[in-house]
Amino acid sequence: PSTTRIKALVGGTLIDGFRGRPVRNSVILIDGERITDVGVQGTVAIPAGADVISTEGMSVLPGLWDMHVHLMLNGHSDYAHWDKTYPAQLGPVIMPAGAKQLLLAGVTSARDLGAPLEASIEVRNKINNGQLAGATMYMSGPFIQHEPYPGTEVFRWGVSGAADAAAKVRKLADGGVDVIKLIDQDQMTLEEVKAVVDEAHRRNLPVVAHSHRPEEIRRGLAAGVDNFEHTGLAPAPEYPDDIIKAIRERAANMAMGPLFWTPTIEGLFNYEYIRDNPEHIDDTAWHEGLPPAIIDDIKKSLTHPERLDYFRATPSRRPTLARKFNQLREAGVTLLVGTDSGIPMKFHSGSTWRELDAWVNLLGVDAMTTIRAATYWPAVAMRKER
């Protein structure tokens, strides 16, 4: 191949995501869009004319994944206002801005869990085609639930009966989504939940589901959901025994593959700090790609972080997080890094790094496990490990 398109990253400490020992004095050869060789200096020949980039003194690792983002949101505190004001700008402006902010933060792949179908597919495809700069996106399109909240019908689809549930999944699959997202499945019948999961699996699509309430988890497990999101809304101190038993049994069923769980804990852990030290709201990184009027609207909505209804229950939930997080780890689930980025005060430009920091420095997860939860395991969960 022509050497003019070959890049060589030379000298850094390589962490490859497979849990092996970090490789000192590494060399990575990249031909166009593909890594073609990896090794150490002196054993990997660097082609003449290659673009050599020194990584001396740096750690080199795969691009990060964020497994739970909302490109249609960008930190605004008033969902009703946002959903009413900006639907026409989601595809052309707001979602591309979020995808670019993720990329600039080192997040090269992300899973978007809830947005209008047409805008989701359009933004993803434009990034893949090189028309937009952004993280590689994997899209769910609209949530599937019992009944959409008023004013959210464009990105929340209700179901009525098992046949309708399967039909909605087929419509999403035909529209080109990468994953199916369930929410409030405890308000659906078990037959409806199973119809969603079964039809998604027939179309080779993984299913993610909320786990805010115990019955959401029970029904999701019974139906064969692949990946749960969050750690629970209620300030209960821990998961009930029957749920932990069921999680253990599912996680131990190797024939079904790993049971994935995206806890999205950073926003809850850090809310009170950010409330009292709101300087990160002044960071202009989250302005990237957004027009001044939208930036000003978001800023105004965050004038009083201590008054936000969204975080009203957080002080009572926060003390339960470590226990629930550790219950999940001990039960054998495979945890994934995701942030719910886009929710109030959570910007695509920084949430992923704060999630990594919380795992290591607040929950005591070792750094390599955390890195794998943001690199290797997300690729496996989205069936892109090759």
Side-chain angles (χ1 to χ4, degrees):
S2 169
T3 57
T4 57
R5 54 182 272 141
I6 295 178
K7 291 182 172 63
L9 309 182
V10 180
T13 298
L14 171 65
I15 301 166
D16 66 9
F18 286 102
R19 196 184 275 283
R21 292 174 65 86
V23 178
R24 315 288 177 186
N25 302 312
S26 65
V27 176
I28 303 172
L29 297 184
I30 305 170
D31 184 354
E33 296 291 318
R34 287 280 169 185
I35 293 173
T36 57
D37 203 357
V38 176
V40 297
Q41 288 175 278
T43 66
V44 175
I46 299 174
D51 181 11
V52 177
I53 300 169
S54 174
T55 55
E56 291 284 352
M58 302 178 188
S59 296
V60 183
L61 69 159
L64 300 178
W65 287 69
D66 192 315
M67 291 294 275
H68 193 128
V69 306
H70 294 286
L71 293 187
M72 67 169 285
L73 304 173
N74 205 315
H76 199 287
S77 71
D78 186 343
Y79 284 176
H81 166 78
W82 186 266
D83 295 343
K84 179 175 59 179
T85 307
Y86 297 114
Q89 297 193 59
L90 294 180
V93 176
I94 291 168
M95 294 177 71
K100 186 175 183 181
Q101 290 170 23
L102 286 167
L103 182 62
L104 293 176
V107 178
T108 59
S109 298
R111 189 170 66 180
D112 186 89
L113 296 179
L117 178 58
E118 184 176 342
S120 297
I121 303 307
E122 180 182 7
V123 170
R124 181 198 66 191
N125 291 350
K126 283 185 175 181
I127 291 170
N128 291 345
N129 294 335
Q131 297 170 265
L132 292 174
T136 299
M137 297 303 305
Y138 298 89
M139 301 300 213
S140 76
F143 302 81
I144 290 182
Q145 60 189 111
H146 171 61
E147 187 176 356
Y149 312 148
T152 68
E153 292 80 3
V154 69
F155 59 91
R156 293 176 181 270
W157 289 2
V159 300
S160 179
D164 184 46
K168 291 295 198 309
V169 173
R170 286 194 293 274
K171 186 174 181 179
L172 290 171
D174 291 342
V177 301
D178 305 288
V179 60
I180 299 296
K181 168 74 179 291
L182 271 169
I183 180 174
D184 295 345
Q185 63 270 15
D186 55 346
Q187 298 173 17
M188 300 165 66
T189 68
L190 184 55
E191 290 71 24
E192 290 170 339
V193 179
K194 287 181 174 178
V196 167
V197 176
D198 290 347
E199 188 62 34
H201 288 171
R202 272 192 285 272
R203 300 297 292 263
N204 200 33
L205 294 173
V207 180
V208 303
H210 268 205
S211 60
H212 280 318
R213 296 177 293 276
E215 191 58 27
E216 283 186 302
I217 302 172
R218 293 185 183 103
R219 294 195 182 193
L221 288 170
V225 160
D226 303 286
N227 187 170
F228 288 95
E229 308 294 301
H230 312 305
T231 55
L233 282 176
E238 60 185 9
Y239 292 113
D241 290 342
D242 71 297
I243 286 180
I244 292 300
K245 181 175 182 292
I247 291 172
R248 287 185 189 278
E249 291 173 355
R250 166 60 185 86
N253 187 344
M254 301 307 294
M256 295 182 69
L259 174 60
F260 295 105
W261 208 294
T262 316
T264 68
I265 50 87
E266 177 271 326
L268 296 169
F269 261 125
N270 289 334
Y271 164 67
E272 287 152 297
Y273 176 85
I274 291 172
R275 176 198 64 197
D276 298 336
N277 302 275
E279 288 81 4
H280 97 290
I281 296 172
D282 297 327
D283 183 352
T284 57
W286 65 263
H287 299 183
E288 180 67 40
L290 295 175
I294 293 180
I295 294 168
D296 289 344
D297 193 7
I298 295 168
K299 281 183 176 180
K300 288 176 183 174
S301 82
L302 303 176
T303 302
H304 295 286
E306 75 282 359
R307 300 180 189 175
L308 300 185
D309 287 345
Y310 189 91
F311 294 103
R312 187 167 42 193
T314 294
S316 62
R317 292 174 63 193
R318 188 182 186 279
T320 73
L321 289 176
R323 172 62 179 149
K324 289 178 177 177
F325 186 92
N326 287 323
Q327 278 184 293
L328 293 173
R329 290 190 76 193
E330 292 162 5
V333 306
T334 299
L335 294 173
L336 305 173
V337 166
T339 59
D340 225 1
S341 181
I343 66 173
M345 295 197 299
K346 298 292 134 194
F347 304 117
H348 304 299
S349 54
S351 294
T352 314
W353 291 98
R354 291 187 175 91
E355 184 81 10
L356 296 170
D357 176 73
W359 282 36
V360 174
N361 293 315
L362 297 176
L363 291 167
V365 182
D366 67 275
M368 188 63 78
T369 296
T370 303
I371 289 170
R372 280 167 59 81
T375 55
Y376 174 76
W377 282 119
V380 173
M382 292 309 297
R383 303 163 188 174
K384 299 295 180 183
E385 65 267 38
R386 296 287 178 189

